[in-house]
Amino acid sequence: MAEAREVRTTCPYCGVGCGVLAEIAADGTTTVRGDPEHPANFGRLCSKGSALGETLGLEGRLLQPEVLGKPASWDEALDLVASKFSQAIAEHGPDAVAFYVSGQLLTEDYYVANKLMKGFVGSGNIDTNSRLCMASSVAGHRRAFGEDIVPGVYEDFECADLIVLTGSNTAWCHPVLYQRMLAARRERGTKIVVIDPRRTATADECDLHLALDPGTDVLMFNGLLAYLVQAEKIDTGFIRDHTSGFDAAAGLAGADAPTIARVAKGCGLAAADVRAFYDLFAGTERTVTVYSQGVNQSAHGTDKVNAIINCHLATGRIGKPGMGPFSVTGQPNAMGGREVGGLANQLAAHMDFADEANIDRVSRFWNAPNIARRGGLKAVDMFQAVADGRIKALWVMGTNPAVSMPDASRVRAALAKCEFVVVSDVTRTDTTRYADVLLPAAAWGEKDGTVTNSERRLSRQRPFLPPPGVARADWRIVCEVAARMGFGDAFTYQTPAEIFREHAALSAFENAGGRLFDIGGMADLSDEDYSAFAPRHWPVLERGEQQTRLFGDGRFPTPDGRARFVPVRQEATAFSVDVDYPLALNTGRLRDQWHTMTRTGNVPRLMAHAPEPAVELHPADAAAHRLKDGDLAHLSTRFGSVRARVRVTEAQRRGQAFMPMHWSGQFAARAAAGLLSSPVTDPHSGQPELKHVPARIVRENTGWTGVLITRRDLRPTGFVHWSRHAVDGGWVYELTGTEPPDQGILLARKLLGVQRRDQLLEYTDRRGLAYRAAAIDDGGAMAEALLAAAPDQLPARDWLVSLLATRQKLSTADRHALLSGRSPVPMPAIGRVVCACFHVGANQLASAVASGCDSLEAIGSTLRAGTNCGSCRSEIRAIIDARHIQAAE
Ligand SMILES: Nc1nc2c(c(=O)[nH]1)N[C@H]1C(S)=C(S)[C@@H](COP(=O)(O)OP(=O)(O)OC[C@H]3O[C@@H](n4cnc5c(=O)[nH]c(N)nc54)[C@H](O)[C@@H]3O)O[C@H]1N2
Ligand SMILES: Nc1nc2c(c(=O)[nH]1)N[C@H]1C(S)=C(S)[C@@H](COP(=O)(O)OP(=O)(O)OC[C@H]3O[C@@H](n4cnc5c(=O)[nH]c(N)nc54)[C@H](O)[C@@H]3O)O[C@H]1N2
Ligand code: SF4
Ligand SMILES: [Mo]
């Protein structure tokens, strides 16, 4: 038997980049915990990170290449990819092919993909899902600083006196950073301001929440700049010595947002709240402004970014402890992808196509005479070109555009029409359906390479498991195709360390300080050093040396060394609501899910917090549309439609709705937010507006509902609506139809996977309107159960769900209970799961509060809820507060 061992690696989810210790026991079981030595998290993990050990199963993994749906050898698959790409290039030129890649690839994967397309195919057509994510920040940074630089580090959150979180649901999306911010709030009284149209979990624990109208951030920050000028709170010395363009930017801000009253009106806020924010900002030297998708994913995202940066430049609050604009990255390697130049408008190593000298330099370094000479198509335009037939061959790596791209129906149609589609993934997805060639990639735990987090810190992802089947690392797959296309000499790498050294060398090549992205100090890292690599910030100019904060010296990587103010004006939002589409639909993330759920969706404890696709609405809007909590709704925009449950909540403002982005066709009939979102993009960054689209909602008339509890992994068809969630031992399928119950029962019954008549227990009530059935396996345990009835008539199912996990042999009493729809043992429903780490539900929390636990600490010591990752603490607090309010009334 192998010996137990421990491997240091990095979480594959968000851009916080937490260090993870994977412990592999002698019997091969793996457990993960936070790495106490990693400077991003010091041992903490959020709910998703803590559950990583539960995502290592091989169910659903792609184990072998496929060509047109049939298993194939690597040679067949790779030969075909290379010949189809070469043929398309020969017949139609290099721009007839494209790669669409991902911020979840490792730096080494990303580097070779970019080198192949830009250096050797000779086209700029490689773009990435970072276009949907970070592109506006990149564009804003480049306008202001001359280079895509995040100047701050995480320690700044701990030494700030004010943290402004705008367009960021940090509590759910960067939970470990949020916990660091809350610690600062407790320990040094740091104030937190949240600017978000929704009252998010982040807003639940802040000092001031500004629920501004969607898309009005430029006005908000222009107003702030104008206020800082009026109140003489600007740093005239810094502006004079280190910046350019102040007068124009301040002038436009003053014209756009002359008074607090004007801002309040334009943003839909109370003037007193706007003033309170401006006063706090004006009076607090140590201020960090954190921004994320509420800023980036906007038709005016780049202007939003610059409006924020302008305020930091005007106050000289940048590059100093506790100060600065801070764009937090989404994906684990969003930053690494930007470093290698994976965006279509970048070339490599923070060099772009604007300067011929860059193209010449990279071409010499790569020894690539055929290098691309201009940028390629950005994601939305790329899929348009696929639809138009201009792109004949497309390779998608590590992303699921059939779900995550806006106007997803059009993207699906483009994929269906494309002559040749290659998809590299670890599992089957809505996108792999369109693959002519499907390539099985190695996943987290198997991959080897580096990632860079939001604070420019490089960390290693290290393997601790062998890839299953014949799955291979992405970099290796790319190199094999490159060799088959005739570019083998430039892709001879045998290890990720070799690729990393080349990437590091390119960053330093002919770099006399003009590019701050320089990790040349690691260009000669030995294989042992690469293997032992400890997390470090870039730049790394010399071995061992690293810089933490940037811009502290007031010098910026622009030609004149000055940061640039960018004059911006609040533009009208891309769309406005009207009588046909009266709701402003916003989309985003849930606490325990990762994107299109390909990994987190299989983990029962991560599914418990939000088990069904739902759209959130304000009570008044729900009433106006005759909707109540739990109803099935049909939600549509001019781009498409979905079905989801209605969730009525005061956290939503009137006239606005929110839908999570996660629900793919693998988990629900039709609930992908991408089907609703609009493909309108920001003119500077090409990033689509994913946070705002006019929508309408109507109630779906449901005739029956059902639930199938099963060990089997199914994709039902023929139902108006279904969704599923993982539970211990299997899956729960929620089924809904418009048919009358008797017909619905017949439909639902077809799902039962019973081989033999004697394995089925069945009961139909006298009127044929309620049905209960169970399939019994050879050991006498319940293999699946089906309940179907008129809406709201389903019996409780908690007991049945628990039978899946226990696999206990059913007694006669159990069988009776199954058919009567009543649990033989009293099973108090725990309610919606609030704490995912310890599986504690809302009902349990409410009764603990009722019996005297009136603080987070008391709840923690009684139920353990909230004591691990902390992501649920604001929800627990809300339950405690609700009880206090009740008591006071
Ligand atoms: N749990 C979880 N965490 C994740 C991810 C995940 O899938 N799940 N994904 C990761 C990735 S790739 C990313 S990019 C990040 C995203 O992290 P966030 O950006 O924090 O997440 P979102 O929910 O997309 O959007 C943030 C907020 O922007 C608000 N917003 C909408 N419109 C506006 C507006 O006009 N102005 C302002 N000021 N706010 C607005 C929304 O209401 C929402 O609460 O999360 C990362 N972390
Ligand atoms: N409406 C709406 N749409 C959005 C957003 C939104 O807020 N609203 N947010 C946008 C943002 S910020 C982002 S980042 C995107 C994310 O959207 P996607 O990138 O489409 O989402 P993921 O589910 O993370 O897709 C990653 C894919 O890579 C696979 N994979 C995992 N590991 C590996 C690997 O090592 N190699 C390979 N080859 N494949 C692997 C996974 O199985 C999965 O299919 O969604 C965007 N779309
Ligand atoms: S905050 Fe959570 S998802 Fe993000 S890196 Fe850390 S553990 Fe992973
Ligand atoms: Mo993202």
Side-chain angles (χ1 to χ4, degrees):
M1 209 182 238
E3 267 181 45
R5 61 207 164 91
E6 190 170 69
V7 175
R8 282 210 139 74
T9 182
T10 310
C11 177
Y13 298 126
C14 85
V16 177
C18 295
V20 169
L21 281 176
E23 291 173 28
I24 304 93
D27 66 357
T29 50
T30 307
T31 48
V32 302
R33 63 190 170 95
D35 178 353
E37 284 169 31
H38 197 290
N41 57 318
F42 300 105
R44 282 177 183 277
L45 292 178
C46 74
S47 52
K48 296 177 297 301
S50 318
L52 271 169
E54 288 141 70
T55 64
L56 301 172
L58 297 184
E59 306 83 50
R61 277 295 296 275
L62 296 175
L63 303 174
Q64 203 182 349
E66 285 175 21
V67 173
L68 298 174
K70 302 240 162 43
S73 69
W74 272 112
D75 275 337
E76 283 168 80
L78 295 170
D79 285 346
L80 186 64
V81 174
S83 71
K84 287 283 189 180
F85 270 75
S86 298
Q87 190 190 344
I89 296 163
E91 286 173 15
H92 307 281
D95 291 334
V97 301
F99 295 167
Y100 182 59
V101 305
S102 167
Q104 292 166 73
L105 295 177
L106 305 183
T107 299
E108 293 77 1
D109 302 324
Y110 232 134
Y111 179 86
V112 292
N114 188 56
K115 181 178 176 183
L116 174 56
M117 182 53 77
K118 291 189 181 134
F120 291 84
V121 169
S123 167
N125 282 348
I126 172 169
D127 208 37
T128 134
N129 62 2
S130 282
R131 185 66 61 194
L132 315 179
C133 182
M134 303 313 305
S136 298
S137 277
V138 174
H141 292 157
R142 284 160 46 84
R143 288 207 296 190
F145 310 139
E147 187 174 343
D148 174 23
I149 301 285
V150 174
V153 292
Y154 294 163
E155 269 143 25
D156 290 327
F157 304 134
E158 275 137 11
C159 49
D161 293 314
L162 171 64
I163 301 176
V164 181
L165 300 170
T166 181
S168 166
N169 186 6
T170 330
W172 282 8
C173 297
H174 297 90
V176 167
L177 287 186
Y178 187 63
Q179 293 306 322
R180 287 178 72 166
M181 293 172 191
L182 290 186
R185 186 167 180 249
R186 276 194 306 275
E187 282 153 28
R188 58 181 284 142
T190 303
K191 293 269 189 294
I192 298 183
V193 176
V194 173
I195 306 178
D196 192 310
R198 296 189 298 150
R199 200 182 68 228
T200 56
T202 311
D204 278 343
E205 292 217 51
C206 71
D207 298 278
L208 176 65
H209 173 210
L210 301 172
L212 84 181
D213 282 344
T216 59
D217 305 68
V218 172
L219 186 64
M220 172 64 76
F221 282 89
N222 265 351
L224 175 59
L225 182 59
Y227 182 85
L228 293 168
V229 173
Q230 285 155 19
E232 297 182 7
K233 292 288 186 182
I234 55 175
D235 182 341
T236 46
F238 185 86
I239 295 171
R240 184 192 60 229
D241 297 338
H242 302 296
T243 69
S244 63
F246 172 73
D247 290 343
L252 190 53
D256 198 30
T259 60
I260 286 182
R262 170 79 190 77
V263 173
K265 186 157 183 288
C267 296
L269 293 164
D273 287 343
V274 177
R275 174 178 294 278
F277 167 48
Y278 288 0
D279 278 339
L280 258 178
F281 193 104
T284 315
E285 182 69 358
R286 287 177 170 237
T287 296
V288 183
T289 306
V290 176
Y291 49 98
S292 180
Q293 300 317 337
V295 167
N296 294 335
Q297 285 172 343
S298 158
H300 310 293
T302 309
D303 285 352
K304 289 186 181 186
V305 169
N306 288 109
I308 294 168
I309 294 175
N310 284 347
C311 295
H312 279 270
L313 292 176
T315 47
R317 295 178 194 158
I318 190 164
K320 300 173 197 150
M323 302 179 210
F326 206 127
S327 148
V328 279
T329 51
Q331 299 176 90
N333 202 28
M335 195 66 112
R338 286 146 68 174
E339 290 154 14
V340 305
L343 289 161
N345 52 320
Q346 297 289 301
L347 175 53
H350 280 204
M351 288 175 273
D352 63 12
F353 291 96
D355 188 348
E356 273 293 320
N358 287 340
I359 303 176
D360 172 58
R361 184 180 305 118
V362 180
S363 145
R364 281 183 288 113
F365 181 87
W366 279 344
N367 195 11
N370 188 33
I371 196 167
R373 309 210 75 84
R374 58 192 163 83
L377 294 170
K378 298 172 183 160
V380 172
D381 296 335
M382 181 183 278
F383 281 96
Q384 188 56 51
V386 173
D388 297 345
R390 278 175 287 149
I391 289 177
K392 318 275 179 198
L394 174 72
W395 187 352
V396 178
M397 279 175 233
T399 174
N400 192 0
V403 183
S404 57
M405 280 288 292
D407 201 2
S409 335
R410 260 220 312 211
V411 168
R412 292 174 190 189
L415 287 167
K417 207 178 127 194
C418 186
E419 285 176 23
F420 188 65
V421 177
V422 184
V423 180
S424 303
D425 205 296
V426 302
T427 180
R428 274 177 220 285
T429 69
D430 292 1
T431 301
T432 60
R433 286 187 199 166
Y434 301 96
D436 295 290
V437 177
L438 189 52
L439 302 174
W444 183 80
E446 301 147 17
K447 301 193 69 163
D448 191 8
T450 50
V451 292
T452 311
N453 74 3
S454 298
E455 55 166 357
R456 288 174 285 104
R457 199 190 285 272
L458 292 93
S459 297
R460 290 275 276 109
Q461 268 194 24
R462 294 188 177 86
F464 52 88
L465 293 169
V470 295
R472 289 184 186 174
D474 289 289
W475 65 267
R476 215 179 262 286
I477 304 175
V478 173
C479 291
E480 302 250 9
V481 169
R484 284 167 164 82
M485 290 176 76
F487 310 125
D489 291 349
F491 295 86
T492 55
Y493 319 102
Q494 292 304 313
T495 61
E498 280 177 47
I499 303 171
F500 184 81
R501 285 190 287 265
E502 181 177 311
H503 166 57
L506 174 55
S507 75
F509 186 59
E510 299 175 1
N511 185 357
R515 286 137 36 210
L516 288 188
F517 174 66
D518 185 341
I519 54 169
M522 297 190 288
D524 58 357
L525 212 62
S526 67
D527 288 352
E528 294 70 43
D529 287 349
Y530 181 78
S531 173
F533 190 100
R536 71 190 66 170
H537 294 287
W538 61 256
V540 184
L541 302 183
E542 283 183 32
R543 220 32 203 284
E545 184 209 50
Q546 61 170 326
Q547 254 174 292
T548 53
R549 249 167 237 109
L550 295 175
F551 304 157
D553 57 1
R555 282 192 306 144
F556 295 84
T558 49
D560 63 4
R562 290 166 176 271
R564 297 183 284 235
F565 281 92
V566 181
V568 290
R569 166 194 300 126
Q570 175 68 49
E571 306 280 352
T573 48
F575 299 98
S576 39
V577 294
D578 55 31
V579 282
D580 292 330
Y581 294 93
L583 292 168
L585 176 69
N586 175 3
T587 63
R589 286 155 175 80
L590 295 174
R591 190 188 76 187
D592 295 345
Q593 288 307 325
W594 178 259
H595 296 166
T596 67
M597 298 167 65
T598 61
R599 289 169 285 174
T600 46
N602 301 322
V603 181
R605 71 173 155 129
L606 295 182
M607 281 308 277
H609 188 241
E612 282 188 83
V615 50
E616 296 183 10
L617 279 184
H618 185 271
D621 289 318
H625 289 88
R626 300 213 182 88
L627 290 161
K628 61 179 187 343
D629 201 83
D631 278 352
L632 183 66
H634 186 250
L635 181 65
S636 55
T637 68
R638 291 195 169 82
F639 304 95
S641 68
V642 302
R643 289 193 181 80
R645 296 271 157 219
V646 172
R647 220 180 136 219
V648 178
T649 163
E650 304 248 347
Q652 227 18 71
R653 285 190 70 182
R654 273 200 85 160
Q656 300 177 19
F658 177 82
M659 172 107 195
M661 62 166 293
H662 307 292
W663 293 88
S664 72
Q666 309 299 313
F667 291 90
R670 191 175 174 83
L675 295 166
L676 302 170
S677 295
S678 102
V680 167
T681 57
D682 175 286
H684 307 285
S685 66
Q687 180 156 357
E689 168 70 79
L690 296 170
K691 292 288 184 255
H692 185 199
V693 62
R696 69 167 162 234
I697 191 165
V698 291
R699 193 158 67 88
E700 194 73 77
N701 283 318
T702 51
W704 64 278
T705 54
V707 56
L708 175 71
I709 299 157
T710 175
R711 296 176 187 162
R712 290 178 303 143
D713 176 353
L714 314 167
R715 304 289 180 282
T717 51
F719 296 92
V720 170
H721 179 70
W722 64 266
S723 69
R724 63 170 185 156
H725 63 272
V727 293
D728 286 331
W731 296 91
V732 173
Y733 291 79
E734 308 288 346
L735 310 165
T736 312
T738 48
E739 305 80 8
D742 51 340
Q743 288 176 33
I745 289 169
L746 291 179
L747 266 179
R749 230 176 140 261
K750 291 193 187 143
L751 285 179
L752 274 172
V754 193
Q755 308 292 329
R756 297 195 319 262
R757 199 65 220 162
D758 64 336
Q759 291 176 314
L760 185 66
L761 299 175
E762 252 186 321
Y763 166 85
T764 313
D765 78 349
R766 242 178 311 131
R767 292 170 302 155
L769 301 183
Y771 176 78
R772 298 187 277 279
I776 310 297
D777 69 12
D778 289 337
M782 186 193 86
E784 54 192 43
L786 175 66
L787 309 172
D792 304 323
Q793 301 294 313
L794 286 181
R797 83 274 292 265
D798 289 27
W799 173 62
L800 294 175
V801 174
S802 74
L803 289 181
L804 265 195
T806 59
R807 291 192 168 225
Q808 81 195 31
K809 187 167 187 291
L810 300 181
S811 65
T812 315
D814 289 338
R815 291 176 184 235
H816 284 303
L818 250 163
L819 293 180
S820 70
R822 273 189 296 271
S823 160
V825 280
M827 280 255 318
I830 67 164
R832 195 174 58 83
V833 173
V834 174
C835 170
C837 297
F838 298 113
H839 199 77
V840 183
N843 296 353
Q844 290 167 291
L845 289 165
S847 54
V849 174
S851 58
C853 293
D854 65 351
S855 67
L856 280 170
E857 290 65 35
I859 291 277
S861 54
T862 323
L863 294 171
R864 297 178 77 197
T867 57
N868 183 42
C869 76
S871 314
C872 62
R873 290 167 71 92
S874 66
E875 280 171 85
I876 299 177
R877 194 190 300 282
I879 293 171
I880 299 172
D881 291 349
R883 173 78 191 181
H884 286 169
I885 295 166
Q886 248 178 11
E889 273 167 359

